[in-house]
Amino acid sequence: QVQLVESGGGLVQPGNSLRLSCAASGGTFTYYTIGWFRQAPGKEREFVASIDWSADNTYYADFLKGRFIISRDNAKNTVYLQMNSLKAEDTAVYYCAADRTGMLVPTPAPWNFDYWGQGTQVTVSS
């Protein structure tokens, strides 16, 4: 079973950047699709980005408009989410998740993923 631990969240001013990390242990991380989701207070968990095992294929939520970049380093069992030009509406708890089937779909639902981290808080405020 894979354990996922997110890090890198914090308080940042609008327009600035943050890089989140998702470190995995256990299981065969290399072959899993990894996704990032976020959940703001009072809202449902929503898809942000995902990446397949090879890192050759990625999907992003339409609302991001190119501001975020997902990447992975299988040698380090880590997936990253580079978040640029942050806005107040990006404030949320960010979760990474692993899909052991290795499938990659354009807009996955949370139930597509088998393992979840505990989340890291990102707050964008001046």
Side-chain angles (χ1 to χ4, degrees), residues 61-112:
D62 290 340
F63 61 78
L64 291 178
K65 299 187 185 300
R67 296 185 296 119
F68 292 7
I69 300 172
I70 189 171
S71 62
R72 71 190 292 165
D73 185 339
N74 286 337
K76 295 182 178 180
N77 282 358
T78 302
V79 172
Y80 305 98
L81 185 68
Q82 177 68 41
M83 305 188 296
N84 301 317
S85 302
L86 283 162
K87 306 175 182 180
E89 50 263 44
D90 294 318
T91 295
V93 177
Y94 283 72
Y95 299 90
C96 67
D99 175 5
R100 60 187 175 184
T101 69
M103 295 182 64
L104 190 70
V105 297
T107 310
W111 51 259
N112 286 124

